[in-house]
Amino acid sequence: MKASMDRQGIEKLIAEMTLKEKVWQLTMLSGELVQTGPASAPVTSDAIQNGEVGSLLNLVGPDRIRDAQRHAVEGSRLKIPLFFSLDVLYGLRTMFPVPFGESAAFDPVLWEATARVAAEECAVEGIDLTFAPMIDVARDPRWGRTIEGPGEDPLVGQRIAQAKVRGYQTADLAAPTAIAATAKHLAGYGAVRAGREYTSVDMSERLLHEVYLPPFKAAVEAGVACIMPAFVDLNGTPMSIHIQILRRLVRESWGFDGVMVSDWSSVAELLVHGVAADPAEAAALALNAGVDIDMMGKGAYYDGLPEALDRGLVTMATIDEAVRRVLHLKLRLGLFDNPYRRCGSPEAVAAVGAQAARRALAREAARKSIVLLTNIESTLPFKKDLKSIAIVGPFSDLKGDASKPDAAQRMSAFVDHFKAALPKTAISMTAGSDVELPTENGLEAARQDAQKGDVIVLCLGETIAMAGEASSRGYPGLPQVQQDLARAVFDSGKPVVVLLFSGRPLILPDWLAARAKAILAVWHPGSEGAAAIVDVLSGAYNPSGRLSMSWPTDVGQIPIFFAERPTGRPRLESEHFSSKYLDIPNDPRFEFGHGLSYANFFMTNPRATKWKIAPGETAEILVDVKNTGAVAGEHTVFLFIRDVVSSITRPYLELKDFTKVELAPGEMKTVRFKLSADQLRFLGPDLKPLLEPGTFNIFVGPSANPSKLQMLELRVHPAQSAVARAQI
Ligand code: GLC
């Protein structure tokens, strides 16, 4: 019986490995099924048999994975198992809302639960590691990868990071359904210049440490197994070689001892960045910075590391350090003991996929992610006696999840759900146009269909492919053909409810926002999206989603976010010399945290258990919330602070917590937040955490809209002896 591998065994293994075998352990190559980067030749079974690769990505299907693993553990000299990785950001078989949409739920329990289900589906189909969560804060919706991330605020990014790492990894990576998570893309990727994909990023150290790094620190504190540096050049240094961040900060200061995996060919791309003259230099710079695995590394580690060693650009000790971390990851994943542990049988795969609970969770996640942006004259929810609904638009024929292996599992279409929810209502449906192109007679068909409906549900937006990587949009709005369709439908004179399918806030024409009776952001809602949308429109579910990103009124406002620092000349309509535009408003169309309900929530009596605290102490902030509406609902309450006078300017609002409260009609509950002196610290002139005595304005409210916030004051007094304090 082979003794199970342990850390001593790893040391022995490293001692046996040739240089080539070490370099191959640091190389990750792509399987043949999906390409998520510039096209490349997929790995061959001979190469695996030869031990020429340490891990694979984008190989899908337990049979294929089992086969590849067999080549490695039975064919290669040292029989080191591979690990298998894939981008699973919002589900593998059961699809949840895209991550940006799910962030609108403001629900860490949900965020963890959907990651857990995704991990269970991965762990029975041979996937050991996911390249998720993506925790790049984004404040520029022109950037397509907004769809993958947490929105504009670092605290939300931190909470998502923690929840997702727990969900994917559980407490033990060797647990049967645990998979390794990857915090990506470190760091600042969401701030690409002008929102254009892959451009360089320039930002102050302050902004980097206040906004873009915190989610990654939270992921490390949650025990994330892997980190992926971003493609981008940050302030002149490509992240793949950013030794100050990767090694000094993340490894040495934060204590991260997991694996760093480069993004697709980003090490080889150092030659294109112009910071390396040849593959050996590129490989040395990345390895010395702390990057262990070179994804798609044919052009860098695979070819360049041996030469880098010969030229003295790296040491064998540094190579061994990287190999050690990769082998430790495989050890933690239980792959030495059982390389096939996640390759489930067809029956096991079917059993996991068939669980009704996962579809129920997908429906819950989609419901909670939908944001009711406007609802004029309570157009929604639809009345049960509504005679007819015309569903119009290129997203109207919304079916369940196309990845379902058979139609029986695929969620019935939108129309079926409407019929089930509103049996007395006649339902018609027509596309009216394609997403970006007109269709023959499409407009006319839409006009006719609109006449049939007492109300029109107009389904507009961008496809998933119009967002995501390499999909920046200079004008992230509605394609002209959809605007033409909307005008045609509005001209029918019927009440129109607009559903926006997108991976980001979309710039809306003022006339559309004004003419719609209701607007909902439904994002890309996943397998059970059709059902969830009808649940909201029919009133079976009272919408509770809130925006995790400010929704620009105009593309000219971008980047726009609530936590901006003060200006000495705040906007004054009466003052020419004040901070405003001549041609567009300052305010977003919808602010961070915006989201309506069919209930009516009233907040009152904000108060604190202490109005003075010393360093190290904590106050409780309380506020009463009452549902004065006629239906039950879930309300999200935000806690912001403003440091009124400080040695470094502080944002008008800093988000410090959020929580949800469920209220029946007429019910009132007290929402409580703990607020410690520590949470009132900021990064001082030396970028070190600093707590300054003084007054803090504490705000509670339903969003970052200043007019909706209730304020109380909290004082921090200088650290004094208990006796002196007692005399205050
Ligand atoms: C892509 C993405 C990254 C992804 C990787 C593997 O280029 O930038 O997020 O995890 O390649 O698919």
Side-chain angles (χ1 to χ4, degrees), residues 312-363:
L313 301 177
V314 296
T315 65
M316 184 60 88
T318 307
I319 292 175
D320 288 353
E321 176 196 326
V323 172
R324 183 172 295 110
R325 284 193 286 256
V326 174
L327 296 180
H328 282 175
L329 175 61
K330 295 181 177 183
L331 184 65
R332 290 179 62 201
L333 284 165
L335 292 171
F336 281 102
D337 289 348
N338 176 3
Y340 306 102
R341 55 175 302 135
R342 292 181 180 83
C343 297
S345 65
E347 296 72 24
V349 173
V352 166
Q355 291 163 13
R358 359 180 51 71
R359 293 172 61 172
L361 182 63
R363 190 164 181 164

Side-chain angles (χ1 to χ4, degrees), residues 35-38 57-58 86-87 89 131-132 134 145 148 184-185 189 198 228 231 262-264 295 469:
Q35 290 294 3
T36 52
L57 77 152
N58 296 348
L86 187 68
D87 290 286
L89 282 84
F131 300 118
M134 190 277 214
R145 302 198 80 162
E148 299 174 47
K184 74 182 186 182
H185 311 77
Y189 190 6
Y198 308 132
M228 181 187 291
F231 288 119
S262 72
D263 204 341
W264 189 288
M295 181 192 293
E469 185 175 355

